C-alpha cells in the first residue's frame, strides 16, 4: 500500500426497506465526490471502495465454482469489497493476471469479478481462473460473475 494513503470515510444512508441494486453504478454524489477529491492539489490517484483489504472484509457470502464440488473454503464463504475502477492501481496492489475493473464494467455490461491469489490457487488448483465463472450467492440467489483478473493477496 502507498505510504501516504488517505482513507476518507463517507456513509450513505438508505431509506428503510430500500436496497441499492448489487450492480448499481456509483450514485452521482459518489462520482462527484471522487472527482472533487481528484482535483485537490497533490492528489495523484482516486478510487472508491467499501473498505481496504485486508482490514475491512465486507459482506461474507457463499460462492461456488461451476463443475466442482464445494470444499470447506467455499462453504465458509468469501468476503468481497465493492470498488471503483483504478482501486488496485491507487493502492499500488499488483494485478498478477488479467485486468482491473474499467468504466465499461457497469450495469450495461456482463457482471465481472476480480479475485485474490489465494482464491485462485484454492478454487482453480493451478489453472488460470481469468475468463472462468464464479457464482456468488448474493441476495438470496445465484449471481454468476466472469473473472477478469487476479490481484496479489493483501498483507
Amino acid at each position: 500500500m502507498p505510504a501516504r494513503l488517505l482513507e476518507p470515510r463517507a456513509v450513505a444512508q438508505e431509506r428503510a426497506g430500500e436496497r441499492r441494486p448489487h450492480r448499481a453504478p456509483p450514485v452521482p454524489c459518489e462520482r462527484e465526490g471522487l472527482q472533487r477529491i481528484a482535483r485537490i492539489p497533490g492528489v495523484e490517484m482516486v478510487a472508491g471502495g467499501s473498505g481496504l483489504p485486508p482490514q475491512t472484509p465486507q459482506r461474507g457470502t457463499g460462492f461456488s465454482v461451476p463443475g466442482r464440488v464445494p470444499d470447506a473454503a467455499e462453504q465458509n464463504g468469501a468476503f468481497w469489497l465493492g470498488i471503483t475502477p483504478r482501486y488496485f492501481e491507487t493502492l499500488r496492489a499488483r494485478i498478477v493476471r488479467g485486468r482491473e475493473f474499467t468504466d465499461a464494467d457497469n450495469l450495461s455490461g456482463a457482471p465481472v469479478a476480480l479475485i485474490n491469489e489465494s482464491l485462485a490457487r484454492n478454487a482453480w488448483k493451478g489453472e488460470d481462473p481469468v475468463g472462468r465463472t464464479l457464482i456468488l450467492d448474493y441476495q438470496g440467489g445465484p449471481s454468476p460473475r466472469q473473472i477478469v483478473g487476479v490481484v496479489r493477496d493483501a498483507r
Side-chain angles (χ1 to χ4, degrees), residues 22-151:
H22 70 283
R23 294 185 60 226
V27 293
C29 66
E30 291 170 347
R31 191 174 300 117
E32 180 184 330
L34 292 174
Q35 291 168 348
R36 290 178 71 184
I37 293 169
R39 290 191 296 266
I40 297 172
V43 170
E44 295 175 20
M45 284 186 239
V46 176
S50 58
L52 288 172
Q55 292 92 351
T56 53
Q58 304 283 320
R59 302 173 182 96
T61 187
F63 70 94
S64 61
V65 175
R68 289 203 31 229
V69 175
D71 64 14
E74 292 170 54
Q75 291 171 356
N76 289 333
F79 292 106
W80 61 274
L81 300 170
I83 63 172
T84 66
R86 299 186 67 191
Y87 180 84
F88 292 111
E89 178 185 3
T90 301
L91 294 180
R92 291 181 174 73
R94 186 167 167 239
I95 303 293
V96 294
R97 285 192 292 287
R99 65 172 177 84
E100 189 164 358
F101 292 145
T102 69
D103 289 330
D105 296 318
N106 58 39
L107 280 173
S108 63
V112 294
L114 282 119
I115 62 173
N116 69 358
E117 290 175 304
S118 293
L119 180 56
R121 184 174 42 258
N122 294 328
W124 278 271
K125 311 285 187 221
E127 297 177 28
D128 186 359
V130 174
R132 304 277 183 101
T133 300
L134 176 71
I135 300 174
L136 298 178
D137 181 16
Y138 189 80
Q139 294 183 349
S143 179
R145 310 287 175 116
Q146 181 184 31
I147 297 169
V148 296
V150 178
V151 66

